[in-house]
PDB file of all heavy atoms in Angstrom:
ATOM      1  N   SER A  74    -143.544 -11.665 158.680  1.00 98.00           N
ATOM      2  CA  SER A  74    -142.378 -12.490 158.991  1.00 98.00           C
ATOM      3  C   SER A  74    -141.472 -12.663 157.759  1.00 98.00           C
ATOM      4  O   SER A  74    -140.243 -12.631 157.868  1.00 98.00           O
ATOM      5  CB  SER A  74    -142.880 -13.836 159.515  1.00 98.00           C
ATOM      6  OG  SER A  74    -141.837 -14.729 159.724  1.00 98.00           O
ATOM      7  N   ILE A  75    -142.078 -12.806 156.588  1.00 98.00           N
ATOM      8  CA  ILE A  75    -141.298 -12.965 155.346  1.00 98.00           C
ATOM      9  C   ILE A  75    -140.500 -11.687 155.069  1.00 98.00           C
ATOM     10  O   ILE A  75    -139.296 -11.723 154.817  1.00 98.00           O
ATOM     11  CB  ILE A  75    -142.238 -13.278 154.159  1.00 98.00           C
ATOM     12  CG1 ILE A  75    -142.867 -14.651 154.350  1.00 98.00           C
ATOM     13  CG2 ILE A  75    -141.483 -13.200 152.830  1.00 98.00           C
ATOM     14  CD1 ILE A  75    -144.026 -14.942 153.391  1.00 98.00           C
ATOM     15  N   CYS A  76    -141.189 -10.546 155.125  1.00 97.00           N
ATOM     16  CA  CYS A  76    -140.504  -9.273 154.856  1.00 97.00           C
ATOM     17  C   CYS A  76    -139.385  -9.063 155.863  1.00 97.00           C
ATOM     18  O   CYS A  76    -138.312  -8.568 155.518  1.00 97.00           O
ATOM     19  CB  CYS A  76    -141.489  -8.102 154.910  1.00 97.00           C
ATOM     20  SG  CYS A  76    -142.699  -8.151 153.571  1.00 97.00           S
ATOM     21  N   LEU A  77    -139.637  -9.440 157.110  1.00 97.00           N
ATOM     22  CA  LEU A  77    -138.627  -9.248 158.138  1.00 97.00           C
ATOM     23  C   LEU A  77    -137.415 -10.143 157.879  1.00 97.00           C
ATOM     24  O   LEU A  77    -136.282  -9.661 157.774  1.00 97.00           O
ATOM     25  CB  LEU A  77    -139.256  -9.550 159.503  1.00 97.00           C
ATOM     26  CG  LEU A  77    -138.327  -9.456 160.702  1.00 97.00           C
ATOM     27  CD1 LEU A  77    -137.794  -8.032 160.858  1.00 97.00           C
ATOM     28  CD2 LEU A  77    -139.079  -9.862 161.987  1.00 97.00           C
ATOM     29  N   ASN A  78    -137.641 -11.432 157.741  1.00 98.00           N
ATOM     30  CA  ASN A  78    -136.507 -12.356 157.624  1.00 98.00           C
ATOM     31  C   ASN A  78    -135.745 -12.189 156.316  1.00 98.00           C
ATOM     32  O   ASN A  78    -134.516 -12.139 156.316  1.00 98.00           O
ATOM     33  CB  ASN A  78    -136.997 -13.802 157.765  1.00 98.00           C
ATOM     34  CG  ASN A  78    -137.244 -14.169 159.221  1.00 98.00           C
ATOM     35  OD1 ASN A  78    -136.299 -14.233 160.005  1.00 98.00           O
ATOM     36  ND2 ASN A  78    -138.490 -14.383 159.585  1.00 98.00           N
ATOM     37  N   PHE A  79    -136.463 -12.108 155.208  1.00 98.00           N
ATOM     38  CA  PHE A  79    -135.773 -11.933 153.932  1.00 98.00           C
ATOM     39  C   PHE A  79    -135.178 -10.537 153.834  1.00 98.00           C
ATOM     40  O   PHE A  79    -134.111 -10.340 153.257  1.00 98.00           O
ATOM     41  CB  PHE A  79    -136.712 -12.214 152.749  1.00 98.00           C
ATOM     42  CG  PHE A  79    -136.939 -13.685 152.486  1.00 98.00           C
ATOM     43  CD1 PHE A  79    -138.012 -14.352 153.041  1.00 98.00           C
ATOM     44  CD2 PHE A  79    -136.056 -14.402 151.669  1.00 98.00           C
ATOM     45  CE1 PHE A  79    -138.223 -15.702 152.799  1.00 98.00           C
ATOM     46  CE2 PHE A  79    -136.262 -15.750 151.424  1.00 98.00           C
ATOM     47  CZ  PHE A  79    -137.350 -16.408 151.997  1.00 98.00           C
ATOM     48  N   GLY A  80    -135.882  -9.551 154.393  1.00 96.00           N
ATOM     49  CA  GLY A  80    -135.400  -8.171 154.341  1.00 96.00           C
ATOM     50  C   GLY A  80    -134.113  -7.999 155.141  1.00 96.00           C
ATOM     51  O   GLY A  80    -133.180  -7.317 154.700  1.00 96.00           O
ATOM     52  N   LEU A  81    -134.023  -8.621 156.311  1.00 97.00           N
ATOM     53  CA  LEU A  81    -132.801  -8.506 157.118  1.00 97.00           C
ATOM     54  C   LEU A  81    -131.628  -9.151 156.396  1.00 97.00           C
ATOM     55  O   LEU A  81    -130.525  -8.596 156.350  1.00 97.00           O
ATOM     56  CB  LEU A  81    -132.996  -9.183 158.490  1.00 97.00           C
ATOM     57  CG  LEU A  81    -133.963  -8.485 159.453  1.00 97.00           C
ATOM     58  CD1 LEU A  81    -134.235  -9.374 160.661  1.00 97.00           C
ATOM     59  CD2 LEU A  81    -133.404  -7.135 159.897  1.00 97.00           C
TER      60      LEU A  81
END
Side-chain angles (χ1 to χ4, degrees):
S74 175
I75 293 168
C76 293
L77 178 62
N78 282 293
F79 282 93
L81 291 171

